[in-house]
Amino acid sequence: MARFAAAYVEFAVGEPALFDVAFSAGLHKPDHPGLEEAGQRVLAVLRSPAEQLRPDPASALALIHSVAATAHGFAAFVREGVVPDLHTATTEAAAAARRLAGQGT
């Protein structure tokens, strides 16, 4: 989950136009099958590690959402200059994901 959080932030910084289309364009995902399908593929990849940490499927999904929301915040922070650089943002996002997953600091 920590690697996902860091990769999410790296994607937001490294591919800002794609990130904005996916998350900032105000698109309702179910109305855009390609975006919905891409999101489902990412979710499928994350289910296995999340379910290792939270065997209950609802709890695993909640963990994925919490980590993604936290990573999204760090992505916004680094893009807006609140967090000074990509290294700091990815390190802090990964650490936050570990805390959310109950894996320490």
Side-chain angles (χ1 to χ4, degrees), residues 1-16 18-19 23 42 45-46 67-68 70-72 74-76 78-79 86-95 97-98:
M1 298 308 297
R3 286 192 304 252
F4 163 67
Y8 188 106
V9 174
E10 289 171 355
F11 172 69
V13 172
E15 299 289 345
L18 289 175
F19 184 83
F23 298 107
V42 171
V45 168
L46 295 173
V67 170
T70 299
H72 192 84
F74 279 104
V78 72
R79 290 180 65 188
L86 180 60
H87 175 75
T88 301
T90 57
T91 300
E92 290 186 15
R98 283 188 210 90

